[in-house]
Amino acid sequence: MKKAIVYVNQFFGQIGGEEKAGAAPEIHEGQIGPAMQFAKELEDAEVTHTIICGDNFMGSNTDEAVATILGMLEGKEMDIFLAGPAFQAGRYTVACGTICKAVKEKFGVPVVTSMNEETPGVDMFKKEMYILKGGNIASKMRQDVKAMANVANKLLKGEPVGDAETEGYFARGIRHQVWLEDGTPATVRMIDMLLKKLNGEPFKTELPMPKLDRVPIAPAIKDLGSAKIALLNTGGIVPVDNPDHIQSASATRWGRYNIADTEALKGGEYKTIHAGFDPAAADANPNVITPVDALKVLQKEGVFGSLHDYFYTTVGTGTTEAEARRMAQEIIPYLKEDGVDGVIMVST
């Protein structure tokens, strides 16, 4: 029987939550967490090992984490490598893509993972591997594992994997010539599409073009010494009572808080409500996420002209592009009204 190895993060590896996000890689014989479901769905392969690594460790010590995991895999029988599903977790999707790419390059075995379309891992890695279109929350685990296993089973059997739409993975930009089952010639299909287009009828192109959301690069600030700068962040820094009720993940709300007479944000007065990282450091010193203190010093030193009287905040983890775009459009009028020349966007 063929062999499969599964990679998961600290949460799905059942060693802990955010407090264990810094956990170094470890390998276990057998199945832990999602690996147990993969064991049920894979038809001709057994899951022999589960690798667990904290999301923060992979993100902050990428080279070390990858080297450690590749070392763990040396000498192991492995016909396929599976990572996730990662759902809508930004760090986890990047971790899954990173280790899948490394395993594929090092050992030459097929790799499969799953992510939600709103996560950064998709654009980073979709050309490198099969990434199934996953759900946004962990309750989609069974269906996401099943979708990954369907592709994995074909790869293990040496069967052709269908097109992206049929199989449910993100298009990789690879085109193949195929024979259609109904045998309709290309000329007939083309004329049929043309007639539908001329008559205003719906039709489906055989050569879809990617839709790119291109944002024009803003011109450089001509005179920083007289410029007004605003501070925005996606780290969830808010007054301790979170007056705008911003969600800790998948945010649809944002806040605007006055710092005109504030030299530095103080722990106990401000905190983070972000669910994607350990809040201890940010709660103790909110300036590590929203550096009001440093900007006030730079303003006094004349590095820039003035600081906008408010900072703006929301939470990035799980927040969709659509919601982020809408919130930006709501914030921009305030910046324009106060004549802001440039924005510092602090992430996590």
Side-chain angles (χ1 to χ4, degrees):
M1 180 173 285
K2 293 185 176 181
K3 313 295 183 184
I5 294 178
V6 176
Y7 172 93
V8 294
N9 70 356
Q10 79 282 354
F11 181 80
F12 293 104
Q14 301 176 3
I15 65 172
E18 192 59 38
E19 77 281 1
K20 290 291 186 179
E26 51 190 68
I27 187 168
H28 300 266
E29 291 189 6
Q31 304 105 35
I32 298 174
M36 293 188 287
Q37 189 64 28
F38 279 115
K40 297 177 182 178
E41 297 289 349
L42 294 175
E43 298 171 357
D44 297 311
E46 61 174 328
V47 178
T48 60
H49 295 81
T50 306
I51 293 175
I52 304 169
C53 181
D55 284 335
N56 282 353
F57 191 92
M58 177 63 82
S60 301
N61 309 278
T62 304
D63 292 342
E64 179 184 351
V66 169
T68 301
I69 293 172
L70 294 181
M72 292 173 172
L73 294 174
E74 288 283 0
K76 301 286 191 300
E77 289 187 65
M78 177 173 56
D79 297 287
I80 197 164
F81 185 84
L82 308 169
F87 310 109
Q88 204 173 27
R91 290 172 300 166
Y92 192 16
T93 63
V94 175
C96 286
T98 298
I99 194 59
C100 280
K101 183 175 185 291
V103 169
K104 179 183 175 183
E105 292 175 350
K106 172 74 173 178
F107 299 104
V109 298
V111 297
V112 182
T113 184
S114 171
M115 310 173 187
N116 185 263
E117 62 184 351
E118 293 284 353
T119 56
V122 173
D123 285 335
M124 292 173 66
F125 297 105
K126 65 183 179 182
K127 292 184 179 180
E128 307 280 351
M129 64 199 68
Y130 289 109
I131 302 178
L132 277 298
K133 296 181 178 180
N136 60 344
I137 52 177
S139 62
K140 306 295 185 181
M141 175 69 76
R142 287 183 181 274
Q143 70 183 47
D144 286 1
V145 167
K146 186 176 183 63
M148 286 177 63
N150 287 340
V151 171
N153 285 329
K154 291 185 178 182
L155 292 170
L156 288 166
K157 294 176 183 177
E159 298 177 356
V161 176
D163 62 83
E165 184 175 352
T166 301
E167 302 286 2
Y169 59 84
F170 291 98
R172 304 170 64 196
I174 301 173
R175 301 191 185 279
H176 299 280
Q177 289 186 340
V178 296
W179 294 100
L180 297 183
E181 292 184 2
D182 63 8
T184 305
T187 52
V188 175
R189 303 197 306 272
M190 182 272 291
I191 291 174
D192 180 61
M193 285 188 284
L194 178 60
L195 290 174
K196 288 181 178 178
K197 182 174 183 178
L198 293 173
N199 290 320
E201 300 174 4
F203 68 94
K204 183 178 177 181
T205 178
E206 295 180 5
L207 191 65
M209 301 303 293
K211 295 180 180 179
L212 301 177
D213 184 11
R214 296 191 181 278
V215 178
I217 298 174
I221 296 175
K222 294 181 179 180
D223 181 11
L224 189 60
S226 62
K228 178 173 286 189
I229 302 298
L231 181 59
L232 283 72
N233 79 94
T234 58
I237 299 297
V238 298
V240 290
D241 58 348
N242 190 13
D244 295 292
H245 305 290
I246 301 172
Q247 303 95 327
S248 60
S250 302
T252 61
R253 302 189 185 102
W254 55 276
R256 177 177 184 259
Y257 308 111
N258 194 307
I259 51 172
D261 299 319
T262 302
E263 294 300 310
L265 301 183
K266 296 179 181 179
E269 296 180 5
Y270 291 87
K271 67 176 183 179
T272 179
I273 43 87
H274 197 292
F277 60 87
D278 187 335
D283 287 347
N285 180 12
N287 299 280
V288 300
I289 300 294
T290 307
V292 173
D293 56 352
L295 286 170
K296 291 283 186 172
V297 170
L298 292 173
Q299 179 183 352
K300 291 177 181 178
E301 293 176 349
V303 174
F304 63 90
S306 61
L307 185 64
H308 182 48
D309 285 345
Y310 297 83
F311 78 86
Y312 301 76
T313 190
T314 188
V315 167
T317 185
T319 300
T320 66
E321 284 188 25
E323 288 294 343
R325 188 179 297 110
R326 177 189 58 77
M327 287 189 278
Q329 293 301 321
E330 293 174 356
I331 292 170
I332 287 171
Y334 290 100
L335 304 178
K336 288 185 174 180
E337 181 181 356
D338 198 39
V340 169
D341 299 294
V343 167
I344 295 177
M345 170 63 83
V346 185
S347 185
T348 50

